[in-house]
């Protein structure tokens, strides 16, 4: 029996907003190439409207996500790790295509990305204990400080590290109860879309994670000016764009991470630490008198 | 209710020796400003000139930053932390020793009642130094990694409402973390900062570790924009905070901002009314309402509205407004003519928009800046007096029916500095505290401060915390 060569099914890559996979409302796409310069796919090029829709979805989802128990958030983040593990071959493939990595390097990156989800899954119900606590005030008062999520965070994912960098940015933001609108690497967006497919099937409530493919420099100013965005993660934007976004953020006093130019270099393969968890929380201090 | 008359009980001014003219404190010495420019600081209760202070310009700022850098490089960053700690302990003790002198000077320059400067501002300022002194040699245990480092030179700009207390919130953690500082006090209240400079000399603090530069907005701008500064800390208006955030963007300066507020003070129908009324009064009339975390929006549950308002009016009849140096005074002078104009403009807008103002009978002294404690009823969320920070003794009263409505109204502001909750029900306190978007929530109390307790806002009230372990973060690189 002879087999005819089979034509493969090409995939249409879309955005991930509010738990759905829409095309850009603008109808725009852009061409994505692999590390050798071969055409791979057309990615949706998110517009201002797409980004605003994503902020609406993120806002709607945020209070419910923050209100879930920390234990539950931890289980859901862990579930994301499980789902990536199950689809690791596709992720390895994506990373090889996107970053031109060798098979061993791509495997290492996917391993690290999975482990990063597990690391943050374990943090959800511990971070409050580590950074919060009872304050020994000089008087008959109960005084307690706890971290609370900042709210809606727009994150510009690293341009180089298309999977591990993206995960390293998103996971700490949602671990503490924020919702996120993430803009992927422009030239290497495909791992982000695969990650969206994983998130969509991991019990992460719709709107908690929104993933846009497109140009950070184009979307950035709209998000920095947006009054219903509480914080920006500027990891993936160039220094001059970052400065502009920081200036724009001043109008609504958005939290900006990293805020200092010297803190902008990030090694995603190293120890993630807790800086990214700490960047998107607010400390709330409650006083109450003690008496009979 | 009869109002008992009290004989005047003025605190003596003799304890403080106000110089005719003050210079800048740079590199451990008092120096003339290079331009020779000066301005006067007055007593807002009498409009008498207290002293003349130097108006620092860019050259002076540059000299101060260089002095701070030298002190940082050569002495302060190299000193064993335990030694650094002892200098700060010395400052705490010296402040406590000279507390009455500082209190009188603060009330003279600021207009706040002596009982507040004496019992709140100065003891707390000393306590902040005492608290942070002990952190200096324990930073490795503070949760910022095993080897947190100082940032370098800190530029600090503080407001006029709690002059010495704000100085202590800024300088104590900065020094404990190993930074050196250049601090600019507000132009209407520079005197206690300049007296603090003498305390630094008495403590033997190495020259340049603390530098005090006086001046107005232009001086502050030159300071925060100086390229030799590694850290900027600002307390003041949201508008200036925004400008600073813009000017430090893209730099290596670490920035913390403590800005405006429009705090809701929520009274539920099961709250003990007398205690709540005391809390409401303390929340908005403490320090003439010149408090960023003042409880300026009272939210009362409809079923107890009449009782609360009646009780509040009776209480206001007994508040004594007058001479800040009188020990019986509850409410002192408004800090400046400019601030008085701002309060008058907003209260006029309140009446124009249809809210009703009420204040107890009050005759203002001939001289000075005065505004009687005032409550506005019939206020809607859209009114300017419900949205904008008045920073004066003016309370806007709104009502609610359900707990959720109270939270929604409380959170309906771009600010998020503080909030108050009054109820007898424990679970409701915790529920409300969880749902209020504010950095400090006072439940069945208000306007409490402590060096061990972090303070700072959500949203447009700024970022960063001052006080407690959290307050170290602003001054460390880790």
């Amino acid at each position: 029996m002879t087999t005819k060569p089979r034509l493969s099914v090409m995939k249409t890559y879309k955005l991930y907003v509010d738990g759905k996979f829409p095309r850009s409302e603008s109808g725009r796409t852009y061409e994505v190439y692999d590390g050798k310069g071969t055409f791979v796919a057309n990615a949706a090029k998110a517009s201002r409207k797409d980004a605003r829709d994503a902020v609406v979805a993120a806002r709607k989802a945020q209070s419910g996500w923050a209100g879930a128990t920390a234990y539950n958030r931890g289980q859901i983040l862990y579930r994301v790790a499980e789902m990536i593990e199950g689809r690791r071959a596709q992720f390895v493939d994506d990373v090889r295509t996107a970053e031109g990595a060798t098979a061993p390097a791509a495997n290492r990156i996917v391993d690290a990305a999975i482990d990063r989800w597990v690391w943050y899954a374990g943090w959800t119900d511990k971070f409050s204990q580590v950074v919060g606590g009872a304050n020994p005030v000089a008087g008959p008062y109960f005084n307690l400080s706890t971290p609370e999520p900042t709210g809606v965070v727009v994150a510009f994912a690293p341009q180089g590290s298309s999977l591990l960098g993206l995960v390293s940015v998103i996971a700490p933001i949602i671990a503490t109860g924020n919702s996120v609108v993430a803009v992927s690497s422009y030239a290497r967006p495909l791992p982000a879309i695969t990650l969206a497919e994983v998130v969509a099937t991991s019990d992460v409530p719709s709107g908690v994670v929104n993933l846009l493919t497109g140009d950070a420099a184009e979307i950035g100013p709209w998000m920095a000016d947006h009054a219903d965005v509480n914080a920006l993660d500027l990891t993936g934007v160039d220094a001059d764009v970052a400065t502009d976004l920081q200036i724009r953020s001043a109008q609504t006093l958005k939290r900006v991470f990293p805020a200092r130019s010297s803190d902008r270099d990030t090694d995603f393969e190293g120890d993630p630490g807790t800086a990214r968890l700490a960047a998107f929380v607010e400390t709330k201090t409650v006083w109450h008198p003690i008496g009979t | 209710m009869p109002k008992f008359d009290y004989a005047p009980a003025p605190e003596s001014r003799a304890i403080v020796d106000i110089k005719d003219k003050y210079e800048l404190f740079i590199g451990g010495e008092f120096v003339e400003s290079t331009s020779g420019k000066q301005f006067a600081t007055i007593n807002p209760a009498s409009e008498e000139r207290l002293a003349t202070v130097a108006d620092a310009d860019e050259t002076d700022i540059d000299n101060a930053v260089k002095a701070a850098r030298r002190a940082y490089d050569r002495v302060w960053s190299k000193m064993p932390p335990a030694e650094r700690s002892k200098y700060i302990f010395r400052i705490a003790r010296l402040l406590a020793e000279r507390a009455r002198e500082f209190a009188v000077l603060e009330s003279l320059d600021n207009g706040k009642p002596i009982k507040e400067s004496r019992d709140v501002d100065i003891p707390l300022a000393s306590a902040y130094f005492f608290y942070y002194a002990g952190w200096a040699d324990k930073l490795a245990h503070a949760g910022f990694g095993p080897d947190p480092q100082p940032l370098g030179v800190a530029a600090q700009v503080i407001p006029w409402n709690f002059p010495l207390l704000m100085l202590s919130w800024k300088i104590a953690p900065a020094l404990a973390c190993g930074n050196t500082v250049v601090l600019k006090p507000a132009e209407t209240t520079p005197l206690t900062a300049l007296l603090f400079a003498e305390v630094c000399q008495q403590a033997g603090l190495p020259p340049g570790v603390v530098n005090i530069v006086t001046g107005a907005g232009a001086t502050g701008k030159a300071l925060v924009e100086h390229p030799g500064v590694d850290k900027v800390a600002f307390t003041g208006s949201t508008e200036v905070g925004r400008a600073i955030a813009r000017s430090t963007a893209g730099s290596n300066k670490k920035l913390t901002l403590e800005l405006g507020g429009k705090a809701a003070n929520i009274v539920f129908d099961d709250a003990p009314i007398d205690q709540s009324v005391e809390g409401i009064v303390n929340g908005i009339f403490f320090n003439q309402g010149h408090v960023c975390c003042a409880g300026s929006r009272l939210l009362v549950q409809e079923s107890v509205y009449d009782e609360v308002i009646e009780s509040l009016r009776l209480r206001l009849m007994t508040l004594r407004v007058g001479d800040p140096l009188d020990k019986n005074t509850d409410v002192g002078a408004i800090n400046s003519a400019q601030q008085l104009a701002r309060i008058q403009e907003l209260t006029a807008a309140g009446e124009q928009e249809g809210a009703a103002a009420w204040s107890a009978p009050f005759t203002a002294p001939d001289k000075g800046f005065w505004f009687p404690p005032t409550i506005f009823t019939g206020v809607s969320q859209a009114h300017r007096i419900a949205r904008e920070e008045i920073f004066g003794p003016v309370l806007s009263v709104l009502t609610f029916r359900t707990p959720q409505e109270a939270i929604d109204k409380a959170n309906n502001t771009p600010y998020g500095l503080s909030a108050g909750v009054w109820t007898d029900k424990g679970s409701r306190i915790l529920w409300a505290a969880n749902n209020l978007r504010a950095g400090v929530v006072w439940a069945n109390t208000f306007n409490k401060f402590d060096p061990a307790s972090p303070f700072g806002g959500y949203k447009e009230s700024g970022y960063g915390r001052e006080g407690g372990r959290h307050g170290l973060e602003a001054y460390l690189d880790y």
Side-chain angles (χ1 to χ4, degrees):
Chain A
M1 197 171 103
T2 57
T3 51
K4 289 181 189 159
R6 178 180 169 276
L7 188 65
S8 67
V9 179
M10 277 178 79
K11 181 169 164 181
T12 306
Y13 290 91
K14 299 194 240 177
L15 308 174
Y16 181 57
V17 176
D18 202 13
K20 301 182 185 70
F21 291 91
R23 292 189 168 87
S24 169
E25 63 78 36
S26 65
R28 301 182 306 174
T29 58
Y30 65 101
E31 293 186 339
V32 177
Y33 300 91
D34 68 10
K36 295 192 186 94
T38 311
F39 172 77
V40 182
N42 290 307
K45 190 171 182 187
S47 66
R48 173 179 75 173
K49 176 78 162 62
D50 295 319
R52 285 181 169 168
D53 289 348
V55 171
V56 170
R59 174 59 64 196
K60 197 174 63 177
Q62 198 267 323
S63 63
W65 179 241
T69 65
Y71 175 43
N72 184 231
R73 285 202 303 273
Q75 287 178 304
I76 290 172
L77 264 64
Y78 187 81
R79 179 79 178 149
V80 176
E82 289 179 349
M83 298 301 277
I84 301 178
E85 193 77 69
R87 289 172 69 166
R88 62 170 304 126
Q90 186 187 354
F91 278 99
V92 170
D93 220 37
D94 275 357
V95 170
R96 290 194 68 179
T97 307
E99 298 180 19
T102 61
N107 268 289
R108 207 176 60 238
I109 289 168
V110 173
D111 288 347
I114 295 168
D115 292 354
R116 188 115 325 155
W117 280 105
V118 174
W119 157 263
Y120 284 115
W123 263 120
T124 59
D125 53 3
K126 295 164 193 70
F127 193 61
S128 286
Q129 285 181 315
V130 170
V131 302
N135 305 306
V137 295
Y141 294 91
F142 163 84
N143 181 297
L144 189 76
S145 291
T146 44
E148 290 194 340
T150 297
V152 171
V153 183
V154 173
F156 298 96
Q159 298 300 326
S161 183
S162 60
L163 177 67
L164 179 57
L166 176 69
V167 168
S168 301
V169 166
I170 292 176
I173 291 171
I174 66 169
T176 53
N178 298 289
S179 56
V180 66
V181 175
V183 181
S184 75
S185 163
Y186 184 77
R188 303 168 171 183
L190 303 193
I193 297 159
T194 308
L195 182 69
E197 290 162 8
V198 159
V199 169
T201 52
S202 301
D203 302 329
V204 178
S206 299
V208 170
V209 173
N210 304 276
L211 278 160
L212 305 177
T213 49
D215 183 1
E218 183 197 354
I219 298 169
W222 302 111
M223 296 291 96
D225 289 342
H226 199 307
D228 206 29
V229 171
N230 301 105
L232 297 183
D233 184 330
L234 300 181
T235 303
V237 296
D238 295 340
D240 53 336
V241 176
T243 301
D244 175 54
L245 297 187
Q246 224 175 333
I247 290 169
R248 289 168 176 273
S249 295
Q251 184 56 33
T252 46
L253 291 156
K254 284 181 183 62
R255 285 76 177 122
V256 172
F257 178 87
R260 293 195 297 164
S261 53
S262 59
D263 294 335
R264 292 184 51 79
D265 291 330
T266 312
D267 166 25
F268 294 106
E269 305 222 14
D271 175 359
T274 56
R276 287 176 179 274
L277 287 165
F280 303 108
V281 295
E282 307 289 325
T283 298
K284 177 182 278 177
T285 301
V286 180
W287 292 68
H288 195 276
I290 296 169
T292 53
Chain B
M1 201 164 78
K3 183 173 175 180
F4 296 106
D5 279 330
Y6 285 69
E11 177 71 47
S12 168
R13 291 175 63 151
I15 193 166
V16 58
D17 182 20
I18 303 178
K19 289 189 246 173
D20 185 61
K21 189 179 139 192
Y22 287 87
E23 293 159 330
L24 305 172
F25 184 64
I26 295 175
E29 290 172 358
F30 288 96
V31 296
E32 296 258 15
S33 67
T34 47
S35 70
K37 277 197 195 143
Q38 301 173 349
F39 63 97
T41 180
I42 64 168
N43 176 349
S46 65
E47 300 179 53
E48 67 170 309
R49 172 187 163 282
L50 291 171
T52 300
V53 296
D55 191 1
D57 66 8
E58 285 178 12
T59 314
D60 301 310
I61 294 297
D62 190 50
N63 290 340
V65 171
K66 279 180 180 150
R69 172 67 56 194
R70 264 196 309 278
Y72 177 78
D73 288 341
R74 294 182 191 167
V75 184
W76 201 242
S77 65
K78 295 208 169 85
M79 186 181 289
E83 297 297 298
R84 219 163 64 211
S85 165
K86 286 189 286 183
Y87 277 111
I88 306 168
F89 274 123
R90 276 189 182 186
I91 291 172
R93 287 303 213 207
L94 286 162
L95 277 178
E97 270 171 29
R98 300 178 65 176
R100 190 58 57 91
E101 188 183 348
F102 272 98
V104 170
L105 186 59
E106 197 77 300
S107 281
L108 281 171
D109 203 16
N110 169 280
K112 65 174 64 202
I114 184 73
K115 75 174 179 193
E116 288 178 10
S117 53
R118 181 194 65 202
D119 298 346
V120 181
D121 292 59
I122 312 303
L124 267 180
S126 172
Y128 271 83
F129 279 99
F130 198 90
Y131 175 82
Y132 278 110
W135 267 124
D137 54 356
K138 301 167 190 68
L139 297 173
H141 307 285
F144 301 105
D147 190 25
Q149 294 297 312
L151 295 161
V153 175
Q156 307 180 314
V157 178
I158 59 172
W160 45 261
N161 56 342
F162 295 95
L164 188 75
L165 185 57
M166 290 299 108
L167 173 150
S168 73
W169 286 27
K170 294 282 179 290
I171 294 184
L175 297 193
C177 293
N179 305 277
T180 57
V181 310
V182 180
L183 176 129
K184 187 195 87 68
E187 65 269 32
T188 61
T189 56
L191 297 186
T192 47
L194 293 163
L195 190 61
F196 177 81
E198 284 182 24
V199 165
C200 294
Q201 288 179 324
Q202 286 185 336
L205 193 68
V209 171
V210 168
N211 304 276
I212 310 280
V213 289
T214 45
T219 309
K221 188 170 187 291
L223 175 56
V224 301
E225 291 180 4
H226 192 289
V229 156
D230 304 293
K231 154 80 195 174
V232 174
F234 172 75
T235 297
S237 73
T238 292
E239 212 36 62
V240 175
R242 286 192 181 110
I244 293 175
R246 285 187 195 105
S247 73
T248 56
S251 75
N252 254 337
K253 296 172 187 171
K254 192 163 176 168
L255 176 65
T256 43
L257 299 170
E258 203 270 88
L259 309 175
K262 193 72 195 176
N265 206 355
I266 305 170
V267 179
F268 287 100
D269 59 6
D270 63 340
I273 299 296
D274 287 352
Q275 278 181 40
S276 310
V277 167
E278 280 310 300
I280 295 162
V281 167
N282 171 259
I284 183 63
F285 302 125
F286 175 64
N287 201 36
Q288 297 74 247
H290 299 330
V291 184
C292 46
C293 53
S296 53
R297 285 184 300 150
L298 175 63
L299 297 176
V300 190
Q301 195 148 15
E302 274 186 8
S303 47
V304 292
Y305 174 79
D306 291 337
E307 195 184 348
V308 168
I309 296 300
E310 177 60 19
S311 197
L312 193 55
R313 285 186 178 169
L314 281 176
R315 182 68 183 85
L316 254 63
M317 301 283 275
T318 67
L319 279 182
R320 284 160 203 288
V321 186
D323 180 8
L325 280 195
D326 193 312
K327 292 168 203 162
N328 294 320
T329 294
D330 296 307
V331 179
I334 301 301
N335 180 255
S336 65
Q338 192 191 1
Q339 185 58 28
L340 180 60
R342 162 95 182 144
I343 297 168
Q344 285 165 339
E345 191 230 318
L346 274 165
T347 49
E351 296 200 75
Q352 215 163 32
E353 290 180 329
W358 181 89
S359 54
F362 170 71
T363 314
D366 297 338
K367 288 272 178 84
F369 315 123
W370 304 94
F371 199 90
T374 300
I375 55 177
F376 270 96
T377 50
V379 179
S380 90
Q381 294 187 84
H383 288 165
R384 281 181 71 195
I385 51 170
R387 291 182 357 245
E388 296 180 33
E389 188 175 38
I390 299 174
F391 222 66
V394 181
L395 180 67
S396 300
V397 186
L398 297 92
T399 60
F400 68 89
R401 290 184 182 178
T402 63
Q404 188 57 50
E405 187 189 348
I407 299 295
D408 291 345
K409 284 185 170 172
N411 287 340
N412 183 16
T413 165
Y415 294 116
L417 190 50
S418 68
V421 183
W422 299 84
T423 168
D424 241 5
K425 194 174 172 189
S427 58
R428 183 180 285 159
I429 290 172
L430 297 177
W431 173 84
N434 275 349
N435 286 288
L436 287 164
R437 298 289 290 164
V440 183
V441 177
W442 287 294
N444 292 327
T445 185
F446 210 94
N447 271 347
K448 290 286 179 292
F449 308 94
D450 193 278
S453 181
F455 182 92
Y458 284 33
K459 301 193 284 186
E460 294 183 20
S461 289
Y463 33 77
R465 290 293 176 270
E466 293 180 296
R469 184 196 68 83
H470 294 80
L472 298 168
E473 199 266 341
Y475 293 96
L476 290 173
D477 203 0
Y478 62 95

